[in-house]
Amino acid sequence: RRAPAAPPGRRRPPRRGPLHHLGQLCLGCVTALLIASMALVAALAAGVSAPGWLRDRAAQAISTALPDHRLAFEEMGLGLDARLAPQVTLRGVTLRDAQGMPLIDLAALDISLSRRALLGGDLRVSQAELDGGHVVLRRRETGALSVALETGDGRRHHPLSDAPATEQIGAMLSQPALAALRELRASNLSLRYEDARSGKAWSADGGQAALTREGDAITLRGNVTVLGARGYASSLELNYSGHIGAAAAGIGIRFEDWPAREIAGQSPALAWLGALEAPISGAMRAEIDAAGRLGTLSATLQIAEGALRPTEATAPIPFRSARSYLTYDPDRQEITFDELS
């Protein structure tokens, strides 16, 4: 059934961003820990599988704590992490919205509580680890990065947010239950990168990512390997740092054995690589300003054996290797080659 229309004059509530749902998922796990009996503490060190009655009680408590979401899981375990903090593990996790549409599905989710918050009588997540999940990273025509979540069947049930990735992460971490979160790790990620500038998209499995926070400073690191039809693997490492509530950020990228023409579309500084047919390895570093615009970019490139061929009608000119160090000033639209050999 369709939801009833909002009365005239009343504004619709704002659409929740994809990372808001991830925060709600963590909140659900905190609620699961609430209903665990303190008498089990002695057994937690070895890890125990929660009995059926405890799982049912946890599911009921989670439903009460998350009225706009439905969290389902196949198994629940209780234990202590390496810091002897209470930990809950859920397997076969699915988070749905109030209408029953799937938002997130994970193979497993581990949540640890802050011991300092526990001493103060609060239950707050200090560390979380995800296994599985499907992430969409999109670069808009402005150059800003945003994040969305997909379910396992590839259906996206909410639009990509217009907010930059740093603001999305900040909104997630601003939830009270995540105020003590210092580390979020993810493994076995399925990643899709959609580039509105070049009109291209790439997909990869087996990705890893880690989000850490110190005060209002956040750092995101990730890596992925792409196996394409070109006969060799391409790897990518990303480092993204910023502050909660700010769009400005620093971004660093290291890559190995990427086709030159795929790299060429990522920045005007690299457009000249579109004339090459060769795999490229290198590193890039740039700053993103408060408006989400890309600032000065520095790049080091190691180009393997290939050919210079600006167009399909051009006879290729082979070369054994090439190397370059350059900087790009977007205000002047100028590339400076400090080294080219």
Side-chain angles (χ1 to χ4, degrees), residues 170-187:
M172 179 187 73
L173 297 179
S174 66
Q175 300 182 61
L178 303 181
L181 182 65
R182 295 293 175 265
E183 185 177 40
L184 174 64
R185 291 186 174 274
S187 58

Side-chain angles (χ1 to χ4, degrees), residues 191-237:
L191 175 67
R192 180 172 175 82
Y193 174 57
E194 299 177 354
D195 184 8
R197 281 186 169 182
S198 66
K200 296 182 179 180
W202 297 267
S203 298
D205 295 320
Q208 300 183 21
L211 172 69
T212 56
R213 175 172 68 172
E214 294 184 7
D216 65 346
I218 55 176
T219 300
L220 176 64
R221 295 182 175 88
N223 63 79
V224 68
T225 298
V226 178
L227 298 173
R230 47 186 175 265
Y232 56 88
S234 302
S235 63
L236 179 72
E237 296 181 13

Side-chain angles (χ1 to χ4, degrees), residues 292-323:
R293 296 172 301 189
L294 191 66
T296 300
L297 179 145
S298 300
T300 300
L301 305 175
Q302 299 283 345
I303 306 173
E305 183 175 1
L308 172 65
R309 193 178 187 186
T311 69
E312 294 297 328
T314 305
I317 303 174
F319 58 85
R320 288 192 300 273
S321 65
R323 183 176 62 191

Side-chain angles (χ1 to χ4, degrees), residues 20 26 31 37 44 60 73 130 177 183 186 200 234 267 286 304-305:
H20 167 82
C26 293
T31 307
S37 171
L44 292 182
Q60 184 178 12
F73 51 89
L130 317 177
E183 185 177 40
K200 296 182 179 180
S234 302
S267 169
E305 183 175 1

